Amino acid sequence: MRSSAWFVASCALILCTLRLIDRATGQKQCSETDYYYEYTECDSTGSRWRVAIPQSPGACVGLPAPVRGTECTFSCEAGEFLEMSAQECTRCAAGSYSLGSGIRFDQWDSMPTGFSSLATSLENSPRGDDSLTCNSSSWVPQGNYLESNRDECTVSLIYAVHLKKQGSVSYEYQYPDNNLLFEFFIQNDQCQEMDQTADTKWLKLTNHGEWATHTVNLKSGTNILYWRTGGVLMGSKVVKPVLLKNVQIEGVAYTSECFPCKPGTFSRVPGSSTCEPCPRDTFSSHGASSCTSCNTTTHYSAEGSAVCKERPPCSRKDYFQIHTACDHEGKTQVIYKWMEPKICLEGVTGAETLPPSGKREPCPPCNPGFYNNDTATCSPCPPGTYSNGMKPCKPCPAGTEPTLGYEFKWWNVLPANMKTSCFNVGNSKCDSMNGWEVAGDHIQTGAGSSDNDYLILNIHVPGFKLPTSMSSHSGTEFGRITFEFETLCTADCELYFMMDVNRKSTTVVESWEKTKTRQSYTHIMTKNASLSYTWAFQRTNQPSDVRRYVNDVARIYSISVSNAVDGVSSECRACALSTEPSSSMCVPCPPGHYIDSRTSQCMECPQNTHLISHATPGLDACRPCGPASNSDKDHSLCYSDCHFTHTDGNVTLTYDFSPLGSVGLLMNGPSFTSKGTKYYHQFNISLCGGQDQLAVCIDNVTDLSITDSQREKGEGASAVKTFICQSTIIPASGRGFHTALSSQSINLAETFLGATVENTLDGIRARTELFPQTSKNVPDVNFYYRSLEATASCESGRSAVVTLRCNPEKSTKGELSVPSQCPAGTCDGCTFHFLWESSGACPTCTERDYHWIEGACKGGHQEMLYVWTEPKLCMGGVSLPEKKTMPCEGMEFWVRLGAGLGAFTAVLLVSLTCYFWKKNKRLEYKYSRLVMSANKECEMPGADSCAVMEGENEGDMEDEVVYTKPSLLGKLKAIASKGNGENYENMQLNSSHSKALVWS
């Protein structure tokens, strides 16, 4: 009470002062238009005061004195406002509306008062000026809605409101693209985030063109509302922005005025809580209580229009063709119809007229699984029968069963389980007949109401039913959808193929931009669930309310869905028969069994083969696993057991990769977008193990309807469970988000092809040049994987190669890396390459990997020590033997023995030398005597000979004999003369008579 009294006293003093000043200056007295009323803040007793606030301070004098206001908990009903003069609730006048204790924002020609758009600075940018690149990013008013930014900048739409009681906030939004992150959260006046569950904070994706409503409870007091968007990874792809409209907040104490109806709407009676849109061909201005009709002869207007537009001359864009349903004669024809609502004029200059209808032609045949008994319609075949569409339905032969599914390739009428619609981006659903139109051999997109409309085609499949013989198989393919399509575009059109599992959240499976030639696409369903497949076509992503690209179309020629539980049968499939005699009942085969085409019995697939579920019956359905791979007990997949053997010549290397662990994790980067957003690519790799040890990548943003335990198991629409998967990780720092974000999880490898030291396997090449080369003799081991799911850029699916390299310097877990030239792991977007260096990738140790070293002989003993051969390039296996001690002889013994042997050898050599020298001398003497005796036998005549003089003894003569050894030439001559019986020897005989000559 003291505070109230003090406040009243202060106001009185101020009022007296102002009156004195007014008397002195002579200013005019304030009228009701010169001021407005406001309430003061409530005090501790729940009281407040009503005070007058001048429109322009100092412009007049004589403001009303403060008076006690209404209770703080006071509020008015919807359609009423608090008239501050009387402090009573008063009904709103016609042409305006009020929510009573709430406020609504439904007009976005400009940013409403109180709203602000703030771009977050990207602190993680590698360049210092990147924070400036987001200054142009903001939420943009587009008339009926707000549009978010289209880049990776984080932009927040902020609005602060003070509630006197508990309330709520609700709004409508479009969120079709998971390349943008969209969150909504609330802070108090201390900038502390309010407690919110994940499903109220992160917004779910919506179908293209559809508006979703989101409501969150608010606490009393100050609430600061944040709508925050930020791109994940853009690349060159155009991103669909988030759209926001009809923001309504409940829980304010009062509204002191009613809101006028926005142009194009009206409220006809006082006390309205909403404004109604004006009907077609009428319009209204701001604050209208009724709508004014257009001159429909020359003008038109759409529903909720603020003005009338002039009708243009009719052109080709204003009509379309359809095929009529088959009549009782089995005939159809092409007819032309004006677009509805018709806005063009026919009888003016330059206007086109509606073309005449085409000739009546025979209806196309029924689709497979349907039949026509000379009626105007095609009917589905009864259960147990089949038809190709051109013949009557027949029962399946014994030993076969009908295949269920749908195959649409003739489009005379839209099938019963398909729907078509059109959604306008800014408003709501447009005319359904402007969606997709049947055209005989194809179905194509209609004109729509504008070029940025979403033209929707949807088919619902309540579930899948495998053939009887395959019904017990688990973890296999439940069904597949295949469609053939083309797009013809001159603008930035895009065709989306989407999937909604169990009506939880629609996700884009694949999309195609601009013109695409006729091609086929297949998507495999690996879980049995109720789902909807949707095709959405948009001619341009830019805001538009006219039709300029009406000739840009998407065409679908055929759609087939296998194993649909509500499908029809177009053919019969061989099944396994019961073993009971004379039984024709089809029975399910155990997992991993195929149907023998000769006996119609279930046979287990051979060892190390896996069963292809959609293959034809027979042994060919069991495909062999690749090198160094095994099949699981159910023959559902092939995997590596972490053991590998390689033989090169006489050397066999054995590897055990189990120390590396079952799943490897690689987070490369960081990388930065053009705007400076930091992000990482995280890869999870399952090297060994079967179904229970696959890698799991989760999306913690776009699928919040599943529990954490389901995510860990790889369940949910956005969880990927496979051999190798990839996620995009955006850290919380620098983005304004409160947690690290994992998004865009994709499957890189669902099939293990095998492990080998070769550089190619099944058409996949390991590009060894992308990684540093090793000089070690241990070969790298390559693990090859493939994903069979085709994409727009990879028609044969993605593939991956994990190269295991022995590196003793690394730990057992090792280190994963990607090529430096391709930081995203792939250079072409289809084949991913990884290098896993680890000591655990080395082969198992054997006896050839160590050797022994002899120690010194001490005391008659020496040690034998075993050591590893360096560098050690093995892991595990055999261990080093213990050192051994062996007896030995001392060094002195061997020295003495060696010296003795040396002395003996020297004496022996000297003795042999002397012996042979003496023997040689004797041989010379004997040879000399032999020559002399030979000369005596051939003496010459007396006159020509010389005899020994008397007194000379033989001994003296012997001493004087000198033998000259014949030369090599002389020997040769002697040998040559033997044939002529001639033999000459020349000797020089020295005697006491020096001049005597001797001839022989």
Side-chain angles (χ1 to χ4, degrees):
M1 294 298 295
R2 289 183 179 179
S3 60
S4 299
W6 178 86
F7 179 78
V8 173
S10 300
C11 291
L13 179 61
I14 294 173
L15 184 60
C16 292
T17 304
L18 290 174
R19 287 179 176 175
L20 291 174
I21 295 175
D22 293 341
R23 290 173 182 174
T25 57
Q27 289 182 330
K28 68 171 185 174
Q29 292 292 318
C30 291
S31 63
E32 292 183 356
T33 59
D34 295 325
Y35 61 86
Y36 62 94
Y37 291 109
E38 284 285 355
Y39 282 120
T40 62
E41 291 293 331
C42 295
D43 57 24
S44 58
T45 64
S47 301
R48 58 184 175 181
W49 292 81
R50 188 199 70 178
V51 296
I53 308 297
Q55 300 282 3
S56 300
C60 63
V61 297
L63 292 174
V67 298
R68 186 175 295 277
T70 59
E71 296 179 359
C72 290
T73 57
F74 176 83
S75 63
C76 295
E77 299 293 332
E80 298 178 341
F81 73 102
L82 181 62
E83 204 284 311
M84 295 293 286
S85 298
Q87 297 194 71
E88 294 180 352
C89 292
T90 305
R91 297 171 64 188
C92 292
S96 63
Y97 73 97
S98 168
L99 301 178
S101 61
I103 51 178
R104 179 188 294 143
F105 302 94
D106 56 4
Q107 188 173 353
W108 305 93
D109 295 320
S110 60
M111 193 69 77
T113 303
F115 281 86
S116 60
S117 181
L118 176 65
T120 302
S121 174
L122 302 178
E123 299 174 1
N124 288 324
S125 171
R127 302 183 298 275
D129 59 346
D130 272 342
S131 61
L132 302 177
T133 61
C134 289
N135 287 348
S136 59
S137 301
S138 65
W139 287 77
V140 181
Q142 296 288 359
N144 292 324
Y145 57 91
L146 269 178
E147 182 180 277
S148 74
N149 58 307
R150 295 171 181 250
D151 51 32
E152 66 265 21
C153 292
T154 301
V155 183
S156 298
L157 178 68
I158 307 172
Y159 182 76
V161 62
H162 186 80
L163 302 185
K164 297 299 182 181
K165 59 181 180 180
Q166 290 186 352
S168 64
V169 56
S170 65
Y171 51 89
E172 297 179 56
Y173 71 94
Q174 280 189 23
Y175 178 29
D177 196 338
N178 61 358
N179 287 310
L180 276 178
L181 303 176
F182 183 30
E183 66 171 334
F184 172 73
F185 62 95
I186 307 163
Q187 291 182 351
N188 59 20
D189 54 359
Q190 301 299 319
C191 294
Q192 297 174 337
E193 188 171 341
M194 303 287 194
D195 293 335
Q196 283 180 263
T197 59
D199 57 346
T200 61
K201 179 176 180 177
W202 295 103
L203 281 299
K204 296 181 180 180
L205 291 171
T206 62
N207 291 334
H208 286 63
E210 293 186 2
W211 291 91
T213 301
H214 191 65
T215 302
V216 179
N217 293 328
L218 302 177
K219 297 180 180 180
S220 60
T222 300
N223 293 266
I224 306 175
L225 312 180
Y226 287 84
W227 292 268
R228 178 169 293 171
T229 58
V232 180
L233 283 180
M234 305 304 163
S236 59
K237 188 176 180 66
V238 177
V239 178
K240 305 295 182 185
V242 174
L243 307 183
L244 185 69
K245 71 175 183 178
N246 292 340
V247 178
Q248 182 171 315
I249 302 173
E250 294 283 351
V252 297
Y254 65 92
T255 176
S256 59
E257 60 180 349
C258 295
F259 298 98
C261 294
K262 67 177 183 179
T265 64
F266 71 103
S267 63
R268 59 168 55 92
V269 296
S272 297
S273 60
T274 59
C275 295
E276 303 176 40
C278 287
R280 184 175 290 125
D281 292 331
T282 64
F283 73 99
S284 69
S285 57
H286 192 76
S289 59
S290 62
C291 297
T292 305
S293 298
C294 300
N295 182 359
T296 56
T297 304
T298 58
H299 291 75
Y300 76 99
S301 69
E303 184 180 32
S305 296
V307 295
C308 293
K309 298 180 180 179
E310 187 175 355
R311 293 183 180 273
C314 290
S315 65
R316 172 66 184 85
K317 301 176 182 179
D318 295 305
Y319 63 85
F320 63 97
Q321 70 175 31
I322 63 171
H323 285 67
T324 61
C326 286
D327 56 22
H328 63 282
E329 297 179 358
K331 300 285 187 178
T332 184
Q333 66 179 144
V334 174
I335 64 172
Y336 296 87
K337 288 188 175 183
W338 294 111
M339 298 287 186
E340 294 294 340
K342 183 183 176 183
I343 62 173
C344 65
L345 295 176
E346 295 184 61
V348 296
T349 304
E352 290 193 14
T353 59
L354 202 64
S357 300
K359 297 180 179 180
R360 295 176 70 246
E361 299 176 348
C363 292
C366 296
N367 284 308
F370 292 82
Y371 72 100
N372 188 335
N373 288 340
D374 297 328
T375 61
T377 59
C378 293
S379 303
C381 286
T385 63
Y386 72 101
S387 172
N388 62 0
M390 295 181 286
K391 296 181 180 180
C393 300
K394 295 180 180 180
C396 289
T400 64
E401 60 179 335
T403 58
L404 296 179
Y406 288 106
E407 185 177 355
F408 303 119
K409 57 183 180 180
W410 299 109
W411 303 91
N412 185 50
V413 295
L414 194 68
N417 61 341
M418 298 185 71
K419 296 181 179 179
T420 177
S421 57
C422 170
F423 286 94
N424 184 271
V425 172
N427 297 316
S428 59
K429 188 174 180 180
C430 50
D431 201 312
S432 62
M433 68 178 301
N434 291 338
W436 290 66
E437 303 160 357
V438 295
D441 65 339
H442 66 273
I443 183 172
Q444 67 180 20
T445 52
S449 59
S450 63
D451 283 340
N452 66 338
D453 287 350
Y454 289 102
L455 306 175
I456 308 295
L457 180 65
N458 175 273
I459 181 172
H460 177 66
V461 182
F464 296 92
K465 181 181 179 181
L466 290 172
T468 302
S469 301
M470 305 289 295
S471 60
S472 62
H473 289 216
S474 59
T476 184
E477 173 187 322
F478 284 93
R480 59 174 56 193
I481 180 171
T482 302
F483 59 93
E484 190 177 1
F485 72 98
E486 70 175 352
T487 57
L488 303 173
C489 300
T490 58
D492 57 331
C493 73
E494 189 162 8
L495 175 65
Y496 300 87
F497 175 59
M498 301 175 289
M499 179 178 65
D500 182 0
V501 179
N502 293 329
R503 301 185 183 275
K504 288 184 178 180
S505 179
T506 300
T507 57
V508 176
V509 178
E510 192 58 75
S511 63
W512 300 268
E513 296 179 346
K514 299 184 178 179
T515 297
K516 296 296 179 184
T517 58
R518 187 167 174 173
Q519 57 189 275
S520 180
Y521 179 81
T522 299
H523 175 71
I524 300 174
M525 190 64 185
T526 58
K527 63 179 64 175
N528 195 357
S530 173
L531 55 84
S532 293
Y533 292 113
T534 301
W535 294 265
F537 181 72
Q538 188 181 38
R539 290 184 169 90
T540 178
N541 191 33
Q542 303 302 320
S544 173
D545 57 355
V546 296
R547 293 192 293 257
R548 291 184 298 172
Y549 307 111
V550 70
N551 293 323
D552 291 5
V553 296
R555 295 192 179 108
I556 295 179
Y557 292 91
S558 64
I559 299 175
S560 64
V561 181
S562 65
N563 301 334
V565 69
D566 62 339
V568 293
S569 178
S570 60
E571 59 183 0
C572 296
R573 171 190 173 101
C575 66
L577 297 179
S578 174
T579 56
E580 297 179 4
S582 68
S583 175
S584 61
M585 180 185 301
C586 294
V587 296
C589 285
H593 286 63
Y594 68 95
I595 305 173
D596 191 298
S597 57
R598 295 173 301 175
T599 63
S600 297
Q601 300 297 316
C602 297
M603 304 293 292
E604 185 177 4
C605 284
Q607 187 178 6
N608 287 338
T609 62
H610 64 287
L611 184 65
I612 305 297
S613 59
H614 62 275
T616 57
L619 183 58
D620 293 339
C622 303
R623 304 290 174 83
C625 295
S629 64
N630 307 307
S631 63
D632 59 359
K633 63 179 181 179
D634 293 339
H635 297 277
S636 60
L637 56 78
C638 299
Y639 68 95
S640 169
D641 61 358
C642 276
H643 292 84
F644 178 77
T645 302
H646 170 63
T647 301
D648 186 6
N650 296 327
V651 178
T652 299
L653 300 178
T654 303
Y655 296 81
D656 183 6
F657 300 123
S658 54
L660 276 68
S662 58
V663 177
L665 177 65
L666 166 65
M667 182 179 290
N668 67 337
S671 299
F672 297 87
T673 65
S674 60
K675 291 287 188 179
T677 302
K678 179 194 288 185
Y679 67 94
Y680 300 85
H681 280 145
Q682 177 175 299
F683 299 93
N684 287 357
I685 300 176
S686 175
L687 192 65
C688 309
Q691 193 75 31
D692 298 333
Q693 294 181 321
L694 296 178
V696 177
C697 293
I698 62 173
D699 189 335
N700 65 357
V701 177
T702 58
D703 190 10
L704 303 166
S705 58
I706 60 174
T707 62
D708 293 336
S709 61
Q710 287 177 306
R711 288 195 185 97
E712 293 175 359
K713 295 178 182 178
E715 300 175 356
S718 59
V720 175
K721 187 175 182 180
T722 184
F723 283 105
I724 303 177
C725 57
Q726 172 193 304
S727 297
T728 300
I729 307 297
I730 301 179
S733 59
R735 289 300 311 271
F737 293 104
H738 303 278
T739 183
L741 303 177
S742 173
S743 183
Q744 298 180 344
S745 298
I746 59 175
N747 177 8
L748 301 182
E750 63 191 16
T751 303
F752 176 59
L753 301 178
T756 177
V757 297
E758 302 297 331
N759 290 334
T760 57
L761 180 65
D762 198 20
I764 303 174
R765 184 171 70 92
R767 299 182 58 184
T768 56
E769 71 275 7
L770 296 177
F771 296 104
Q773 301 301 308
T774 177
S775 59
K776 299 180 176 63
N777 295 326
V778 178
D780 295 338
V781 181
N782 299 313
F783 279 60
Y784 293 87
Y785 300 87
R786 170 170 285 144
S787 174
L788 301 179
E789 185 174 343
T791 65
S793 56
C794 307
E795 296 181 358
S796 300
R798 300 183 180 94
S799 57
V801 182
V802 181
T803 300
L804 301 184
R805 175 171 294 177
C806 172
N807 190 340
E809 300 176 358
K810 301 291 183 180
S811 64
T812 303
K813 292 291 185 180
E815 179 181 338
L816 271 165
S817 62
V818 293
S820 57
Q821 304 175 22
C822 316
T826 176
C827 300
D828 58 4
C830 296
T831 303
F832 290 76
H833 301 271
F834 305 94
L835 176 64
W836 196 337
E837 293 184 279
S838 165
S839 58
C842 296
T844 303
C845 294
T846 61
E847 287 80 2
R848 65 174 176 273
D849 294 307
Y850 63 81
H851 61 278
W852 55 270
I853 300 176
E854 293 182 353
C857 185
K858 296 181 180 179
H861 294 84
Q862 67 177 4
E863 291 183 346
M864 191 78 70
L865 183 65
Y866 293 89
V867 296
W868 294 112
T869 302
E870 295 296 335
K872 182 186 177 184
L873 300 176
C874 64
M875 182 77 173
V878 301
S879 57
L880 286 176
E882 297 291 336
K883 63 181 180 180
K884 299 179 180 179
T885 302
M886 302 178 64
C888 63
E889 297 290 342
M891 180 61 69
E892 295 79 2
F893 169 79
W894 295 107
V895 171
R896 290 195 298 269
L897 180 62
L901 291 175
F904 174 77
T905 303
V907 173
L908 181 61
L909 289 175
V910 171
S911 301
L912 291 174
T913 303
C914 294
Y915 170 76
F916 285 113
W917 179 80
K918 187 175 181 180
K919 188 174 183 179
N920 185 54
K921 281 294 186 179
R922 291 177 179 176
L923 289 174
E924 289 181 358
Y925 173 74
K926 291 180 178 181
Y927 184 71
S928 300
R929 295 294 302 267
L930 179 62
V931 171
M932 292 176 61
S933 60
N935 289 336
K936 289 180 180 181
E937 295 176 357
C938 302
E939 287 184 339
M940 298 294 293
D944 296 330
S945 64
C946 295
V948 178
M949 298 298 294
E950 292 185 17
E952 293 180 352
N953 55 39
E954 291 181 355
D956 294 338
M957 184 180 63
E958 289 178 7
D959 295 335
E960 294 298 322
V961 176
V962 178
Y963 170 67
T964 302
K965 187 176 180 180
S967 65
L968 178 61
L969 182 60
K971 291 181 179 180
L972 294 175
K973 289 180 178 180
I975 295 172
S977 63
K978 288 181 181 179
N980 300 326
E982 298 178 356
N983 184 15
Y984 297 97
E985 294 257 2
N986 292 329
M987 294 186 193
Q988 182 178 354
L989 301 178
N990 294 330
S991 67
S992 58
H993 304 281
S994 60
K995 296 182 180 179
L997 297 176
V998 179
W999 295 89
S1000 61

